[in-house]
Structures are given as structure tokens and as C-alpha cells.
Amino acid sequence: MEERYDPKKIEPKWQKYWAEKGLYKTKTAESLKKFYCLEMFPYPSGKIHMGHVRNYAIGDVIARYKRMQGYNVLHPMGWDSFGLPAENAAIKHGVHPSKWTYENIEYMKGQLNKLGLSYDWDREVATCSPEYYRWNQWFFIRMLEKGLAYRKSSYVNWCPSCATVLANEQVIDTKCWRCDSVVVQKELDQWFLKITHYAEELLSACDDLKGWPEKVVLMQKNWIGKSTGVEIDFRIDGTDEKVRVYTTRPDTLFGATFVCMSPPHPLAQKLVADREALEEITAQYGKVEEKLGLFSGHYCINPVNNERIPLYIANFVLMEYGTGAIMSVPAHDQRDFEFALKYNLPVRRVIAQEAVAEAQGAQLSEAYEDDGVMVNSGDFTGLKSPEGRVKVVAFIEEKGLGKKVVNFRLRDWGISRQRYWGTPIPVIYCESCGIVAVPDKDLPVILPEDVKFTGRGGSPLKESEAFLQAACPKCGGRARRETDTMDTFVDSSWYFIAYCLKQGKGEWGFEISERNNKITNPLNYWMPVDQYIGGVEHAVLHLLYSRFFTRVVRDLGIISCSEPFTNLLTQGMVIKDGAKMSKSKGNVVDPDYLIDRYGSDTSRLFSLFAAPPERDLEWSDKGVEGAYRFLSRIWNVVYRNLNSLQGTSYPTAGKADIKGISEAGRSLLRKTHKTVRKVTNDIEREYHFNTAIAALMELVNEMTGLEPADDLDNSVLRFAIETTLCLISPFTPHIAEELWTAMGNEPGISGQRWPVWDEELSKEDEVELVIQMNGKLKGKLMIPAGAADEDAKKLALNDPKIAEAIGGREIKKVIVVKGRLVNIVLGG
């Protein structure tokens, strides 16, 4: 054994050993309890960053811990490898996206291996490989057959910079999620997946996501956005037409002073005579940073009071939500209020905070959007808003003016993208047969190589005649292929399923029956994922799509579970100099540099110790150095005592027989068992790795101070060291393996069973007693563990500081809670 800890020597050695032995390969074994641990897979951008290090270290600790507990652990890794950056690289550097992507995968895979991550690489997937995206296409065809995939002309979110369509979820504050360009509306023929078919189920099942952070569940609920309201018909004066509007606030119907219609609404084309003006407002459709309107030249009749109110075409009214038209109540909706001020439209208050008299008060400076009492509302005046909503809806339905409906904010998922580097949509257009799905036997539809990347708008696939021209599968006539590719979120919506099926390069553990489209597979053993780990930025997009896809796969009869992820951990960001690490801010720490200087165990340890997983981690060079010194201290304990520890073993396997052991030895034995309990409980309790590591540091400190008096003390020290190595091995596996074998054990510490503590030896000698007066904290004492309530009371009252605080005042009563808290209730 070397005198000094040198991670450059030991880490490559053990990484090679693990790979050669295939220690992390996983087989389906129905007789074993399973644990599926998964971190969100990365986009192969070229290099991993410290956020990756933290994310993957968290997952690796969990996977290694569960293996040592006897679970059959599935811990895979792959690559979310389709996407725009590869295509941009092709445009900029003339490198084919495939070459750029696979070179990046190779480099990043080497980086991950340097971290000592316990992945089953036999299950590796790359979503850009034909063997993977074949199944994207197969799932699409199954959805097409079931009416869950369809094509229609629609106004879509268009990013001018990326020259492609974006899903609603990919528009963040009116900007593209990738490049921050302002998104515009454009009418295109698009393919959609009918996620709204599952809207009610996706929403109600949110309450069953007990292992997810509450904030993520709330974000899911809000995005699905169920609302109960009413659709009401407003007759267009002087015509036979009606505008149907949707509102969740029928109690404000008497305050509607104008109606707004979406520019793509079919009636807008009929009603607006000024075509140029209509084209101008349509060009601004969806740009909600400035609310614009065009008077249609027509008026609507409010059905509850027969008032004639103007009809506007407004850029902020979305065709995809509700009916594409809204009644505008500026007194009680801030957006309508601002629009009314801009276009000099009347504002009428019909909801008062408390009294009817308030309705006659001063002019509003902003919209009052809360519930209240209905005023200026005919026969409904005086009703509170909840009751008023019920009665107004009943009136509308009774008079045949509309109906009560349920709407969802969630829209169907537009998946068409005008890019090359994605999954080709497997349909063919035939003049005779129409839209025809590519037969399963012809899958995958493979991306062509003869494509030029110019950066100009539109799909590059249109330029490949060999790809474009096809024979119709039905009639054999001339036809053309779809040139749009799928949104890359399709790739990541089922990759966790793919891992369960992948068995090696090109090998998939299932077969498809052409007769009934059934798949024979091991999915029901592995699914759902037991622990999923990733950033909270995916709380809507990826997680919602994954929940949808899992239900589709369930309804195809392939799996039995409905939810993909039982438990979700959203780790915090890595912060340096007060900001998230990024190249643009110049505050990036290169993991390669860190590993080269300190080793991967130090990198892992720091990222796990510096903060709880769900919190942001503040970068600290001193913290990294401290982690390295701690590992060096463990190394030194073993090196210094190695000779005296050879051939020793604790005779009772660490149980409570402590006869003949020195006082220092007994103290170390107790500390070891307390640490096993502490580390185990901290890992089980929401993965509090930082406090678990802190407990290990305390144990190492106590080992460092022990001078063994005899062989019995040496056996206790060996027991403490070996237990420490087992406990720390999920966090820092390389040094744990090296020291484990240095002490004469067979290689493979990860194959050891997780230590268990002895209840008697792990009992605390002392516990903290909290002392309050009239419910306010006044002091704390350390008292013997297990002290009776009466003893705790006496110790509290006899403490000099407490006696002084009482100051002779009357003690009305003393409340003792389980010997851990004393509350002294004083009079006067």
C-alpha cells in the first residue's frame, strides 16, 4: 500500500476492474426485488458540466446503496441525441450531424466512466440511432391507428431563428426555449398527438404522485389547467351569425362591454371587410407582449341584458383555448382593463368587494379580479359570486343561450418540426389513397445522407429526391414522404422503457407480433422507475409527455403501469460567484480539470456534501480541497494501522459483547454503530447525503484518535474501518475498493451487504433537553438518555440559568414531553 493517497493511480485501476468483471450488468430476475434508478439522460453537447457531475453522483449513490441492500438494480445511461445543435454544427462547420453527435457521445462517455458511475452500458441507447427511432415510428403508427395522431392545418408557434415549430410548452414568456427569439404565429399543416385524450386522467393522477415534490405536481396541475365554465352565444347584430365565447366567470356577464375574437377564427374572415388590416393583426397573433385589436365593424348582443357591444379581433385571444372568442369584462380582468383603456372602451363594475354601494364609487385604477358581491347585474344583484355563477349558468342553459362545459389549458402536442436531425414521421402522401402509414416491415424510415445544410428555413429533407419519392404501400403508385421530423421530446418520452428492453448492441429483449401488435417483454418487472433524478426545469415538458406516453403504451397492452416514475428528485443547480454556472458568465469549472487534480472521488464527495440534493450547491474551492483532505485522512488511518490490523477480526461481528474492550475501544464501537444508523437513516430520509457524510467524518475523527491497547482494540478498529469503507463506498467507490483490498479482503466492496447497527450499542448516551417558558425557548441541557419525565423536570428547574429566569414567579405547571422537552408555565 502506498503511503500517500493518489487517485490518479487507483481510480483507473478500479474502473477497469469493474468493466472487465461486468459488475453492473443487470438481468431480469423475477425472484429478486428490483430497484430501477435513473438520471435524466444528457444531450451529447461535447462535454459534461458540474451539473451533470452532481446529477449522476446522486443517482450513483442511490444505485450502489440499493445493490448493497440486496436489490436487483437497473441503472442505465444513454443519449438524448437528436436536436438542433447538431444541425447547427453541420451548417457552421460542414460536419454531418451524425459524425458530430457520435464523436461527442464517445468523449462524454469517457468522462462519465472517469467518474466511476455504476452504469449497465449494455443498455445504452442513443435516440438518433435507427434501432431506437424505429420505435418512435412504430409508436406513432399505433397512435395514428387509434386516432391519437392526426394532421391538421393550424396556427403554430414558429421560431424564426430556429426555423421550426415549437410546442406550447416550448414557448417560455413568448420566447423560444432554445434560443430566446420571440416566437410568432404561422399557419402550417402539422401532425399532433392527442394528449388531451388523457387530460382528465393526467390531472386526477397528480394526487397519486406522492413521491414527487409538491411544487412539481402543482406545475403539472396548472399546465393541464382544468376549468369549469360556460359557453355562451353572442348574436352578431344584423347577421345570422353567432359568436360562442367561453368564460369561467359567468357572474361577470353583465360587465361584458366588448367581445374579442382570435384572428384565425373562421368568422373573422367573414366579418372583416378590411383585408389588409386583418392580415396585419393576424401577423401579430400570439405576440402577447403588446395587446392589439381591430374593430370588426360589427356588434354583438349581450344575451343577458341585450346590450349592443363591439366585436374586436385581438391578437392575444388564442384559437386553441376555449372557443377562440372571449367576452371582455374590463372591470374584472386586468388584460381586458388595459385593452379597454387603450381603445377607449367602457368599464362597468359588476362585482363589489363587500357592499352594493361600492359599485357607485370612484373610477377603477385596475381590475378587481376576486370574488365578491354581484352588482349592476339585474335580478342577480346582491348574490355572492359563487352562488351567482351557479344561478347565471342555470339561467343560460334554461334559455338555450349556452351550456356548462369543462375545458383544459392543455393543448394537443404538435410534433412536426421542419428540421433534419430528428425522427422522420412515417407517413406517405398518395394522390389516390391520401395519407398512408409506412408498413411496420419497412421501418425504420431512415434519414438520408445526401442532404445539404444551408440554415435556410424549411426541412432539408425536401432537398433529397431519393428520400422524398416513394411508392404508395396501398396502390403502388407514385407518392411522396412526409419531410417533417418529430419533436425531440418524443425521443425522451419513452427512453426509460427502452432501457428495460435493451440487452446489448443491437439487441432488444422483445418481439412484435405483426398479427396483434403485442410486444413480449420484461417491462412489467422493471417499470415503473423507482427513483428518477433530474432538473426542475423539466417539470412540465418532459415529465408531462412521459406520463402521456406511458399511458399510451399501457393502452397498447405493452405495460401495466400508468405512471412512469414513482419517486422524483429534482436536484438544485451548481452556483458559482452568485450565478448558475454557464459559459456566458465565465464561471464554469471543468470537471476534467477537477478529476485530473483531485480525482473523481473528491469531485463526487464535494458535490454530495456541499448541500442537500434538492438545494442549489454553492461552489467552493476550499470545499473541494476539504473533501480531498478527508479522503486522505481515511487513507492515512488505514496506512498507519495496516500492519497491526492484519489477521484481526471483531469476534462478535460488531454486536453488543464489549467485555474486555478498553474504554476508547468501547467508545469507537458505539460510535460505529451510531454512524451506521445515522448514515442509513439519512440516505433513506430524502437522500440527505450531506449529513450522512458529516457523520462519517465524525467517525473517522474518532478512529484517528484511537491508540489500540491490545488485539481486541485492534479488532474493534478493523471493524470500524471496514464498516466505514462499506458506508462510504456508494459516495467514493474507488478509494473504498482500494482500502478494502489493502486490508486483505477480496475485491468487490460493492458486493458486500450494507452494514446493520446493533440497537443496544447505537443508543445515545445523552440526549438534548429543550427548556421553554410559556412556550418560548429559554435553554438546552444534555441529560442521560432514557431519563424519566420527573428527572427531566428536576434537571430543568435546577439549572441555574432557568432558576434565574423564573425569578421567584409562580410556577403554574410544568409540561414534560417524552423526556426531551420541558415547558414551564408561569403566572403573572
Side-chain angles (χ1 to χ4, degrees), residues 259-307:
V259 170
C260 285
M261 180 184 290
S262 178
H265 197 292
L267 281 178
Q269 307 299 319
K270 287 186 178 181
L271 298 174
V272 179
D274 190 338
R275 311 309 293 177
E276 184 177 343
L278 181 60
E279 287 178 7
E280 288 177 1
I281 194 73
T282 301
Q284 300 300 315
Y285 175 52
K287 293 182 180 179
V288 295
E289 62 271 17
E290 184 181 5
K291 298 167 184 65
L292 300 174
L294 169 68
F295 177 51
S296 68
H298 292 268
Y299 290 83
C300 293
I301 304 300
N302 187 326
V304 293
N305 58 12
N306 291 317
E307 183 180 5

Side-chain angles (χ1 to χ4, degrees), residues 1 10 13-14 17 68 634-635 638 642 646 718-729 732-753 755:
M1 178 183 178
I10 68 171
K13 164 187 165 183
W14 288 109
Y17 174 84
M68 294 178 75
I634 297 176
W635 184 276
V638 175
L642 190 59
Q646 296 298 330
R718 183 182 182 100
F719 170 73
I721 291 173
E722 290 184 340
T723 300
T724 299
L725 295 178
C726 286
L727 294 176
I728 206 168
S729 64
T732 57
H734 307 88
I735 191 173
E737 286 277 20
E738 182 70 17
L739 296 179
W740 179 259
T741 55
M743 294 181 69
N745 297 302
E746 289 294 318
I749 193 171
S750 61
Q752 298 296 308
R753 295 309 295 262

Side-chain angles (χ1 to χ4, degrees), residues 644-787:
S644 60
L645 296 179
Q646 296 298 330
T648 64
S649 63
Y650 189 58
T652 56
K655 297 299 179 183
D657 183 4
I658 58 175
K659 294 177 182 177
I661 304 175
S662 69
E663 184 60 37
R666 287 199 297 272
S667 176
L668 178 59
L669 186 60
R670 289 194 183 97
K671 184 67 172 178
T672 302
H673 282 279
K674 291 175 185 177
T675 304
V676 173
R677 184 181 64 185
K678 171 71 172 169
V679 171
T680 305
N681 289 340
D682 283 353
I683 292 175
E684 292 288 347
R685 184 174 56 91
E686 298 180 349
Y687 303 127
H688 285 187
F689 303 135
N690 56 323
T691 53
I693 293 168
L696 285 165
M697 290 176 173
E698 290 181 10
L699 177 58
V700 171
N701 286 340
E702 186 148 341
M703 285 192 291
T704 304
L706 178 67
E707 296 292 340
D710 51 29
D711 286 347
L712 202 51
D713 272 2
N714 276 324
S715 70
V716 170
L717 180 58
R718 183 182 182 100
F719 170 73
I721 291 173
E722 290 184 340
T723 300
T724 299
L725 295 178
C726 286
L727 294 176
I728 206 168
S729 64
F731 303 95
T732 57
H734 307 88
I735 191 173
E737 286 277 20
E738 182 70 17
L739 296 179
W740 179 259
T741 55
M743 294 181 69
N745 297 302
E746 289 294 318
I749 193 171
S750 61
Q752 298 296 308
R753 295 309 295 262
W754 186 255
V756 293
W757 67 89
D758 181 275
E759 287 291 349
E760 191 63 32
L761 288 172
S762 64
K763 284 182 178 178
E764 297 289 343
D765 298 322
E766 291 185 320
V767 296
E768 185 178 71
L769 177 68
V770 176
I771 307 172
Q772 296 177 340
M773 282 187 190
N774 293 340
K776 294 183 178 180
L777 179 66
K778 288 296 180 181
K780 296 178 181 178
L781 288 176
M782 298 305 297
I783 66 172

Side-chain angles (χ1 to χ4, degrees), residues 39 70 139 287 314 324 463 515 563-564 586 627 661 663 724 766 775 811:
E39 304 98 66
F139 283 128
K287 293 182 180 179
E463 308 303 319
R515 181 175 57 83
E563 291 293 343
I661 304 175
E663 184 60 37
T724 299
E766 291 185 320
I811 300 175

Side-chain angles (χ1 to χ4, degrees), residues 472-485:
C472 174
K474 283 188 175 179
C475 70
R478 287 171 58 86
R480 63 178 178 86
R481 293 191 186 279
E482 171 65 75
T483 57
D484 285 351
T485 53

Side-chain angles (χ1 to χ4, degrees), residues 128-353:
C128 65
S129 66
E131 71 169 10
Y132 185 92
Y133 68 71
R134 170 195 182 191
W135 300 109
N136 283 354
Q137 296 170 344
W138 188 87
F139 283 128
F140 176 89
I141 292 169
R142 300 291 83 76
M143 285 191 258
L144 185 63
E145 292 168 349
K146 290 182 172 291
L148 294 174
Y150 63 93
R151 189 171 186 257
K152 72 171 184 178
S153 177
S154 172
Y155 276 87
V156 295
N157 304 308
W158 179 262
C159 175
S161 176
C162 297
T164 192
V165 171
L166 303 176
N168 289 340
E169 295 85 350
Q170 293 165 328
V171 181
I172 311 298
D173 296 329
T174 75
K175 294 181 180 179
C176 173
W177 72 289
R178 287 194 192 97
C179 69
D180 264 357
S181 297
V182 174
V183 173
V184 299
Q185 295 294 304
K186 188 173 183 178
E187 189 172 16
L188 292 173
D189 286 334
Q190 297 285 294
W191 283 98
F192 291 84
L193 299 184
K194 200 173 181 61
I195 191 173
T196 54
H197 177 75
Y198 293 94
E200 186 66 58
E201 184 185 349
L202 287 167
L203 180 64
S204 61
C206 283
D207 293 333
D208 299 326
L209 301 174
K210 306 300 184 185
W212 288 35
E214 288 184 11
K215 64 179 179 180
V216 175
V217 175
L218 182 60
M219 291 167 78
Q220 291 266 311
K221 287 181 175 180
N222 289 342
W223 190 263
I224 297 167
K226 182 178 180 179
S227 63
T228 301
V230 61
E231 289 182 354
I232 310 168
D233 289 330
F234 281 66
R235 181 169 53 83
I236 299 176
D237 195 25
T239 76
D240 294 330
E241 303 285 358
K242 294 178 181 178
V243 179
R244 175 155 287 197
V245 306
Y246 172 75
T247 180
T248 60
R249 291 294 305 271
D251 54 322
T252 66
L253 184 54
F254 285 84
T257 57
F258 56 101
V259 170
C260 285
M261 180 184 290
S262 178
H265 197 292
L267 281 178
Q269 307 299 319
K270 287 186 178 181
L271 298 174
V272 179
D274 190 338
R275 311 309 293 177
E276 184 177 343
L278 181 60
E279 287 178 7
E280 288 177 1
I281 194 73
T282 301
Q284 300 300 315
Y285 175 52
K287 293 182 180 179
V288 295
E289 62 271 17
E290 184 181 5
K291 298 167 184 65
L292 300 174
L294 169 68
F295 177 51
S296 68
H298 292 268
Y299 290 83
C300 293
I301 304 300
N302 187 326
V304 293
N305 58 12
N306 291 317
E307 183 180 5
R308 192 168 176 263
I309 58 178
L311 171 62
Y312 274 77
I313 312 300
N315 69 331
F316 58 85
V317 181
L318 299 179
M319 193 63 212
E320 291 77 19
Y321 183 73
T323 62
I326 62 170
M327 66 176 206
S328 296
V329 185
H332 305 294
D333 182 282
Q334 187 62 28
R335 180 189 58 189
D336 294 347
F337 182 79
E338 293 168 5
F339 190 91
L341 292 183
K342 184 171 184 175
Y343 292 97
N344 197 29
L345 296 165
V347 177
R348 181 186 305 122
R349 191 186 319 209
V350 293
I351 302 292
Q353 279 182 281

